[in-house]
Amino acid sequence: MWSTPSLPFVTVSPVAVTFSEIGESFLSVEWSRDTPSQGKVRDPTTLCRGEGRIVKSRIKLRDESNQFTIISIDSPDTTMVIQDLKPACTYGVSVQPLGGNGDWGVWSKEARVRTVPAMSVTVENVTEDAVWLSWIRETDLETDLSADTALNVTTDVRAYDLCIVGAGYFKFSRMVEGTDCFLRGLQPDSLYEVRLRTCSKTGQVGLWSSRFFATLPTLRLSFANVGEQFAVVQWRRHLPASLNGPHLSGQQVVEAADFVEAYRMRIESVGSDPLVYELPPNIGSFRLQDLIPSTCLLYTSDAADEEDSGGSGGRRLIQKRKCTCRRGCIVYINERAEIKQH
């Protein structure tokens, strides 16, 4: 005879994979067992259930080229952060648990996930000693994805790690909360590299995004003609330095567009107030009139890029000659660069 009473039981359910955080190069993976179905049992209290304890686990990671990587976890942990992934790539993740009886369970259903695209840095404007930067996450809308692919649509960012390195052992590093930055104090006619990465609210960091840019050379003053009562001052931009080098690794360098809104010339004489001339941007020389014959010391200042005047402020003695001024005379040329609004 059949034994009585009958003993209904239910097998342990497989694990299910979820993602708590999706980044550019990492995935925070979690897995747990679903509650098994009770079926058609008259008295659920008599139903025998397996313990379903997880002693160890192993993760199978499949990339877009169908290459598999097995990751072993020799602990009862049911969470893991998978690192060293590629941005804007689709991965498949499945988990196989080891039960307390020493037998491996079945592989879970593969969960598809796509990592976040990398950041894109844009050099908005460059002058002799300043740069305007902005950054945004690259789009990923042209990729065809299945409906069951997990995506990160929020991309919560606590801050951005911004680093600028370049000429003269220059290094600027700061955590920035916004998506743009203005920096002054660079060297003219120099090459700089901008590096940016994200920092999530959980402390995970993204990949470095890089962009190279070159600042403008300074203006150079010279004299086309010097008479007893006049002097013709002319100016032009120094030729830029060569941007070739093995450190560029074939990357494109953003070069400044030399747009000038206006020139400003300042002439200082000892014991007198300086004279300031506002000059249009389409000229490259200026004739100084009504001067008094004497010795004149001539200096130059670096070009400006502020909306009114200014510049990097360096001064150097370029020449000493007979000119048309009673006392020492100092000549400055500043330029007002065209500032892009963004």
Side-chain angles (χ1 to χ4, degrees):
M1 298 180 61
W2 293 106
S3 61
T4 57
S6 60
L7 296 177
F9 69 96
V10 59
T11 55
V12 177
S13 61
V15 296
V17 178
T18 58
F19 304 98
S20 58
E21 188 175 5
I22 304 172
E24 300 171 10
S25 60
F26 70 92
L27 295 171
S28 295
V29 185
E30 299 179 355
W31 57 94
S32 60
R33 296 188 185 274
D34 294 330
T35 302
S37 174
Q38 296 181 359
K40 298 180 180 180
V41 180
R42 295 181 180 179
D43 187 4
T45 58
T46 62
L47 188 64
C48 296
R49 297 181 176 88
E51 183 179 2
R53 185 166 60 95
I54 298 176
V55 178
K56 298 180 181 180
S57 301
R58 51 190 178 190
I59 299 176
K60 181 167 59 176
L61 179 69
R62 182 179 62 84
D63 58 18
E64 291 182 335
S65 61
N66 288 326
Q67 298 295 320
F68 291 91
T69 302
I70 303 297
I71 305 172
S72 299
I73 304 175
D74 296 329
S75 68
D77 295 337
T78 57
T79 61
M80 184 181 182
V81 178
I82 304 176
Q83 301 280 1
D84 301 327
L85 303 181
K86 297 180 180 179
C89 290
T90 303
Y91 292 90
V93 180
S94 55
V95 177
Q96 185 184 33
L98 178 66
N101 55 0
D103 293 332
W104 286 99
V106 298
W107 286 100
S108 67
K109 180 182 178 181
E110 184 182 76
R112 294 172 57 86
V113 60
R114 187 168 181 83
T115 52
V116 177
M119 298 296 297
S120 176
V121 180
T122 302
V123 179
E124 299 286 353
N125 195 21
V126 185
T127 61
E128 295 175 7
D129 67 336
V131 62
W132 286 257
L133 302 171
S134 65
W135 48 87
I136 192 173
R137 193 168 297 281
E138 296 178 356
T139 60
D140 195 26
L141 302 178
E142 67 280 358
T143 305
D144 294 331
L145 300 175
S146 60
D148 60 346
T149 302
L151 301 172
N152 186 353
V153 296
T154 57
T155 60
D156 293 333
V157 176
R158 177 176 58 86
Y160 299 94
D161 188 3
L162 177 64
C163 182
I164 303 176
V165 295
Y169 302 99
F170 178 88
K171 183 175 182 180
F172 173 85
S173 182
R174 181 172 298 178
M175 300 297 292
V176 183
E177 294 184 358
T179 57
D180 55 16
C181 176
F182 168 73
L183 181 64
R184 181 179 291 281
L186 307 179
Q187 292 289 333
D189 196 18
S190 300
L191 182 67
Y192 290 87
E193 181 186 7
V194 183
R195 305 185 69 195
L196 179 86
R197 65 179 179 180
T198 58
C199 300
S200 68
K201 295 182 179 180
T202 59
Q204 297 290 338
V205 295
L207 298 175
W208 286 107
S209 298
S210 177
R211 182 77 67 185
F212 288 89
F213 70 90
T215 52
L216 277 173
T218 56
L219 291 177
R220 184 180 67 180
L221 275 178
S222 61
F223 292 92
N225 195 2
V226 178
E228 295 180 356
Q229 294 181 317
F230 74 93
V232 179
V233 184
Q234 62 183 11
W235 56 89
R236 64 182 179 88
R237 185 79 64 185
H238 283 276
L239 295 177
S242 175
L243 299 179
N244 297 325
H247 58 286
L248 294 178
S249 302
Q251 296 196 39
Q252 182 181 4
V253 179
V254 179
E255 299 183 61
D258 195 3
F259 295 113
V260 177
E261 187 178 280
Y263 291 105
R264 177 173 293 174
M265 175 182 288
R266 186 176 66 184
I267 303 175
E268 293 184 7
S269 297
V270 178
S272 302
D273 294 333
L275 298 177
V276 178
Y277 296 91
E278 297 287 346
L279 306 178
N282 58 345
I283 65 172
S285 62
F286 185 74
R287 183 184 179 95
L288 303 176
Q289 299 281 4
D290 301 329
L291 303 178
I292 302 175
S294 183
T295 301
C296 180
L297 297 178
L298 300 165
Y299 291 75
T300 180
S301 72
D302 293 334
D305 50 45
E306 290 181 317
E307 294 185 5
D308 50 356
S309 63
S312 55
R315 299 180 182 177
R316 56 189 176 92
L317 179 64
I318 57 172
Q319 57 186 330
K320 182 176 182 180
R321 64 170 63 174
K322 291 288 185 178
C323 191
T324 57
C325 183
R326 177 178 299 171
R327 300 183 180 89
C329 176
I330 306 175
V331 179
Y332 298 90
I333 282 287
N334 289 337
E335 71 167 0
R336 269 187 290 170
E338 180 179 351
I339 307 300
K340 296 182 180 179
Q341 300 295 329
H342 56 87

